[in-house]
Amino acid sequence: MLETIWFVLWGVLWTVYFVLDGFDLGLGTLMPFLAKTDDERRIIFNAQGPFWDGNEVWLLTAGGATFAAFPRTYATMFSALYTPLMLLLFALILRGIAIEFRSKEDATWWRTTWDTCMIVGSFLPALLLGVAFANIFQGLPLDADGIMHGNLLTLLNPYGLLGGLLFVLLFLVHGGLWLAIKGDEVMRPRGARAARILWLPLLLVAVVFLIATAFATDLYSNLLRWPLLWVFPILAVLGLLGSRFFMAKQSYWKAWGASAATIAGATAFGVAGLYPRLLPSRLDPAFSLTAFNSASSTLTLKIMLGVALFFVPVVLIYQFWVYRTFAQPLRLEDLERPEAY
Amino acid sequence: MDVLHLSRLQFAVSTYFHFLFVPLTLGLSILVAVMETIYVRRGDEEYKRMTKFWGKLFLINFAIGVVTGITLEFQFGTNWSRYSAFVGDIFGSLLAIEATATFFLESTFIAVWVFGWERLSKRAHLTAIWLVAIASNMSAFWIIVANAWMQSPVGYVIRNGRAELTDFMAVITQRFAILEFLHTVGGAYILAGFFVLGISSWHLLRRQNVSFFSKSFRVAAAFTLIFSIFELLQGHMNAEILGTKQPAKLAAMESQWETQNGASINLIQWPDAANERNSIQTLSIPKMLSLLAHYNPDAEVKGLKAYPRDQRPPVLVSFLSFRIMVGLVFVFIALSGWAWLKHSAPEKQSFLLRLLVWTIPLPYLACELGWTLAEVGRQPWIVYRIMRTSDAVSPIATSQVAISVAAFIVVYTLLGVVDFYLLFKYARRGPADMPAPAGGR
């Protein structure tokens, strides 16, 4: 039971991470297409200004929770995915530093360099996380000792790449909608337009992904066993349709909320389909790491559950307060403030 | 090199680098919070300008500390997977608590503080920086508790082929952890203090913004002196507990080869590990080591020869890092004491000011040496006397690790250069170029 609760919590942490950091990563990836002048780029940076750091901690927490609750999964997942994980880390390092350093010098080469770090540092994590999760959905070539038989290219199979593409598109739409909320006069319509244009490709890729999932993975078998779990894919689909509906009505907060529901529904669908496996093995189902065979001791799970049940809601409350406090759209004048990025 | 050595190199590079930025975050957050508190209480606009100036340097430094911390957490899984699977029950929990309870707070409220100058009331804004300061220091607490458990494992049982938690309170309240935490933050506060003293001195030497930097100097002088003295006394307790918890580390850092009653301390000595002796050994203070380690001049101190060669830490590195660190603490006490004595008119002390500018790097060195002693002195164990470092490494391909080590070295070197360049630039620019404090933003 405790293991199952932790499995759910594990899914919740990843879900919150994708919903929150998703728009940051989307914004950075959209930058070369939407922002030409220096001011326009700075709007992209400042639109994530007060939020990105707090958002990224959800990734750290998801990683930390895996370590604490499912140490063997943490050990195997991170060492088996060594190269993609290192790429992810370097991308996030350069991205974070780009935000802080970019506007601290005026030289064009300086700013272009950090802009490139922002773009690559946003696109690469979106892609890698999608590729990694799609590969986890279909199982990794793990042997009995948790050693992976394959390399980076093994992960770049068609279904893995489809997952990467899905994540990138999800985050692009999510980021475009955020810009439609938080950008200045010039950038808000551009963000909205990008979201509208990218919505159709997202819909197509999402449909293809849902179909391919039936062939490449066994995620649906849990849904057939427990029909209640269908709420997750349905939530994702409704969110996707809803986001287009609200885009047409130019209610961008609602459209962003619907896009968040799409990301949450999609992640929850994948995690629910995996249960109780955290890291399925493609070589032999018996080698899979599950919430049961990789869990920490009961005492640790109990203590950590107490910690999570207290702190996660507290964090959500104060982060919600931060979003409310800094919800106003940017103005061009805001870029002149000393604290602006 | 094999996966083990490459992974050790990678961890060393990324930890040393991370810890170039962490101590300043720990200490400067408190100093900036103190400055803003004075501003809110007295309404003195100069303290607001000080808060902003030092706050700007704080942020340049903070960014790198944050992003390089993430890599450390993930490296336990990527490079030390056997270790992770073995200790996750305890060690993983501590890292997870750190993220959930403190890192969120720090990362969220730093943004509130940066962007909230006009959107929040003065008191709410002040609360934000105090939350950042408290959360960063609490963050350090959880990380140090995790490290202390590797140094001195308690509250566990070996079951199901791994270390399982049996007593959480024993883990987080053990004396070793508390001492290590106090020692780490003490060092961080000294570093931040000398950072403020040094940069203030640079401007005072040039007679720029004299009132502004004298005030900064004053805030930092007392702070630095208090923690320098604290660090010496506290450091002694840290060394003393090694006598019972990690006697091999104590023997290595003192280069004590023979097990002796009434062991002495040699002011000048040089270890010769190959021949298991000291090649130089003079100016002895009789019985001092026994006295310091056990409060008894005739107590027995274990020598390195009491341990098989494959259970001894590298002697020269342990010995040198300890000696230099301790020597530096005496320098810190002398300089901060001098600074404190002259704090009413520091601008007249040009020799002292010049010394203080050049002192800025020394606490950095001391902090890194402290970690060198802590980690190298624990070898060959990753968890003291329970798991060897060589048994902890991931079963992964050497080529992968070789590439990532190279990438770490290149990327971190570049980032370090850029960060220190920006710190220099903004430190030298001073507050003058900043917009006028009242209404001019």
Side-chain angles (χ1 to χ4, degrees):
Chain A
M1 186 60 194
L2 212 46
E3 289 87 351
T4 302
I5 295 174
W6 262 105
F7 185 88
V8 173
L9 258 171
W10 182 78
V12 169
L13 292 173
W14 281 109
T15 305
V16 179
Y17 171 65
F18 291 141
V19 167
L20 291 183
D21 212 26
F23 77 78
D24 293 331
L25 300 176
L27 271 174
T29 314
L30 282 173
M31 189 164 80
F33 308 105
L34 302 189
K36 300 297 172 202
T37 69
D38 189 57
D39 280 347
E40 289 168 3
R41 289 180 186 174
R42 290 186 65 194
I43 292 289
I44 300 261
F45 277 84
N46 284 284
Q48 44 188 315
F51 314 112
W52 73 273
D53 195 357
N55 294 344
E56 214 172 279
V57 181
W58 287 96
L59 173 66
L60 199 75
T61 305
T66 316
F67 198 175
F70 308 112
R72 267 184 66 211
T73 297
Y74 169 82
T76 308
M77 185 186 284
F78 283 45
S79 57
L81 301 176
Y82 190 94
T83 303
L85 221 103
M86 284 293 163
L87 285 170
L88 176 76
L89 288 177
F90 280 110
L92 291 176
I93 287 177
L94 292 176
R95 182 181 200 283
I97 299 297
I99 295 176
E100 192 59 44
F101 285 3
R102 178 196 188 274
S103 298
K104 293 215 157 37
E105 283 286 329
D106 296 328
T108 317
W109 68 267
W110 172 277
R111 294 193 168 191
T112 323
T113 308
W114 292 117
D115 288 346
T116 312
C117 288
M118 166 54 81
I119 298 163
V120 177
S122 302
F123 171 72
L124 207 56
L127 181 74
L128 288 169
L129 287 165
V131 170
F133 270 81
N135 273 287
I136 290 172
F137 293 161
Q138 65 178 353
L140 294 169
L142 295 171
D143 68 16
D145 298 319
I147 295 171
M148 165 133 154
H149 292 263
N151 53 37
L152 188 58
L153 295 177
T154 321
L155 302 178
L156 300 179
N157 52 64
Y159 184 72
L161 288 170
L162 186 62
L165 183 63
L166 177 69
F167 266 51
V168 171
L169 283 169
L170 277 171
F171 292 173
L172 284 175
V173 169
H174 206 42
L177 289 170
W178 185 256
L179 191 60
I181 292 167
K182 187 68 191 165
D184 70 338
E185 275 178 351
V186 179
M187 297 302 281
R188 279 200 303 273
R190 290 192 199 169
R193 188 159 165 266
R196 263 199 312 277
I197 293 174
L198 289 164
W199 184 83
L200 193 62
L202 171 60
L203 179 71
L204 291 176
V205 171
V207 169
V208 173
F209 185 81
L210 285 175
I211 296 169
T213 299
F215 296 98
T217 77
D218 58 1
L219 294 188
Y220 286 104
S221 57
N222 272 351
L223 274 65
L224 295 174
R225 195 177 317 150
W226 297 294
L228 197 62
L229 296 178
W230 281 100
V231 296
F232 297 129
I234 291 172
L235 177 70
V237 172
L238 288 181
L240 196 53
L241 299 176
S243 71
R244 186 66 186 84
F245 175 75
F246 289 118
M247 278 184 226
K249 295 181 76 174
Q250 306 204 341
S251 319
Y252 293 112
W253 271 111
K254 287 179 183 159
W256 187 82
S259 160
T262 312
I263 296 174
T267 315
F269 162 58
V271 172
L274 279 175
Y275 181 83
R277 297 160 304 172
L278 293 147
L279 211 50
S281 166
R282 217 177 346 160
L283 300 182
D284 182 341
F287 300 157
S288 297
L289 291 168
T290 71
F292 297 97
N293 71 14
S294 78
S296 280
S297 67
T298 309
L299 179 61
T300 295
L301 290 181
K302 277 187 186 157
I303 291 172
M304 291 311 294
L305 186 62
V307 170
L309 290 183
F310 177 77
F311 281 106
V312 171
V314 171
V315 172
L316 285 171
I317 289 169
Y318 65 64
Q319 289 204 339
F320 178 76
W321 173 80
V322 170
Y323 274 80
R324 247 193 39 185
T325 308
F326 297 102
Q328 308 89 328
L330 289 164
R331 293 160 306 164
L332 202 54
E333 305 93 86
D334 290 331
L335 298 182
E336 279 151 38
R337 292 167 178 276
E339 70 266 22
Y341 289 126
Chain B
M1 282 204 280
D2 55 8
V3 173
L4 172 65
H5 289 94
L6 287 168
S7 294
R8 287 187 68 183
L9 176 63
Q10 179 167 307
F11 205 86
V13 167
S14 44
T15 314
Y16 276 133
F17 190 74
H18 179 58
F19 215 74
L20 284 177
F21 304 94
V22 173
L24 190 62
T25 297
L26 295 177
L28 200 52
S29 61
I30 293 180
L31 284 168
V32 170
V34 168
M35 290 170 189
E36 190 168 347
T37 307
I38 298 177
Y39 160 65
V40 171
R41 287 220 161 162
R42 296 193 201 152
D44 181 342
E45 288 290 329
E46 194 152 48
Y47 280 95
K48 183 177 182 183
R49 291 170 67 217
M50 279 161 64
T51 308
K52 289 200 166 188
F53 170 74
W54 296 107
K56 183 140 204 149
L57 300 182
F58 173 78
L59 290 172
I60 294 172
N61 172 77
F62 183 81
I64 297 214
V66 169
V67 294
T68 53
I70 298 178
T71 36
L72 285 182
E73 179 184 326
F74 285 9
Q75 258 186 89
F76 292 113
T78 52
N79 294 67
W80 305 98
S81 66
R82 291 199 173 105
Y83 167 77
S84 299
F86 185 71
V87 302
D89 205 65
I90 300 165
F91 188 88
S93 313
L94 297 168
L95 294 196
I97 295 175
E98 188 263 344
T100 334
T102 61
F103 196 47
F104 265 124
L105 202 61
E106 182 182 350
S107 303
T108 308
F109 281 92
I110 189 68
V112 171
W113 185 75
V114 172
F115 291 95
W117 277 103
E118 281 171 10
R119 218 153 272 160
L120 301 175
S121 72
K122 275 187 186 178
R123 286 197 177 272
H125 192 260
L126 178 64
T127 310
I129 189 70
W130 275 112
L131 283 176
V132 172
I134 293 166
S136 336
N137 281 274
M138 284 309 294
S139 199
F141 173 77
W142 291 108
I143 298 298
I144 295 297
V145 167
N147 181 267
W149 190 84
M150 301 166 78
Q151 310 278 355
S152 159
V154 290
Y156 71 98
V157 62
I158 304 286
R159 197 193 294 148
N160 304 322
R162 63 181 182 182
E164 292 193 353
L165 184 67
T166 56
D167 185 349
F168 183 68
M169 290 314 283
V171 173
I172 65 169
T173 59
Q174 68 158 324
R175 188 155 174 267
F176 197 102
I178 307 295
L179 290 177
E180 191 182 341
F181 169 69
L182 292 174
H183 194 63
T184 310
V185 293
Y189 301 160
I190 296 172
L191 183 145
F194 276 109
F195 184 84
V196 173
L197 284 174
I199 291 170
S200 301
S201 299
W202 192 86
H203 287 281
L204 289 173
L205 275 170
R206 284 160 186 75
R207 298 281 182 274
Q208 298 163 354
N209 299 292
V210 171
S211 149
F212 181 98
F213 283 109
S214 307
K215 280 182 180 162
S216 302
F217 191 98
R218 243 165 268 152
V219 172
F223 183 84
T224 317
L225 177 61
I226 291 168
F227 285 105
S228 299
I229 296 172
F230 169 84
E231 197 71 348
L232 182 72
L233 304 174
Q234 198 282 328
H236 157 68
M237 294 164 76
N238 245 18
E240 174 230 315
I241 198 171
L242 292 179
T244 46
K245 293 285 187 180
Q246 288 189 337
K249 186 188 275 178
L250 181 70
M253 73 197 207
E254 296 289 359
S255 191
Q256 175 78 20
W257 294 96
E258 309 293 338
T259 302
Q260 272 179 334
N261 294 316
S264 57
I265 279 185
N266 307 304
L267 290 182
I268 295 177
Q269 67 179 15
W270 191 264
D272 173 4
N275 298 310
E276 302 188 306
R277 63 185 184 93
N278 291 329
S279 49
I280 306 171
Q281 181 170 318
T282 180
L283 290 184
S284 300
I285 308 177
K287 305 201 177 194
M288 195 61 183
L289 184 54
S290 291
L291 185 65
L292 281 175
H294 299 287
Y295 300 117
N296 171 2
D298 297 312
E300 182 188 82
V301 174
K302 286 252 189 217
L304 282 163
K305 285 186 185 172
Y307 305 91
R309 273 180 184 265
D310 73 342
Q311 291 184 20
R312 293 179 198 165
V315 181
L316 185 62
V317 176
S318 309
F319 166 78
L320 278 180
S321 42
F322 177 65
R323 277 287 157 116
I324 300 172
M325 176 175 71
V326 174
L328 285 171
V329 172
F330 285 104
V331 174
F332 299 153
I333 293 174
L335 280 172
S336 58
W338 190 359
W340 183 75
L341 284 174
K342 303 291 180 190
H343 73 268
S344 53
E347 67 277 10
K348 293 176 188 152
Q349 305 291 327
S350 60
F351 182 64
L352 171 65
L353 294 178
R354 224 165 285 147
L355 271 181
L356 285 173
V357 173
W358 289 103
T359 307
I360 294 175
L362 295 184
Y364 282 88
L365 178 64
C367 285
E368 300 286 12
L369 288 173
W371 276 114
T372 307
L373 174 61
E375 299 297 288
V376 173
R378 191 190 57 233
Q379 301 303 324
W381 309 99
I382 190 164
V383 183
Y384 196 63
R385 293 209 161 266
I386 295 180
M387 185 182 217
R388 279 179 183 270
T389 310
S390 51
D391 296 330
V393 77
S394 299
I396 46 176
T398 314
S399 57
Q400 284 182 314
V401 190
I403 295 170
S404 64
V405 175
F408 269 108
I409 293 174
V410 172
V411 172
Y412 277 13
T413 306
L414 288 173
L415 286 183
V417 169
V418 172
D419 191 77
F420 282 103
Y421 160 75
L422 284 176
L423 276 177
F424 270 115
K425 174 179 152 178
Y426 282 94
R428 294 169 80 137
R429 179 182 285 184
D433 285 352
M434 299 177 74
R441 296 159 25 83

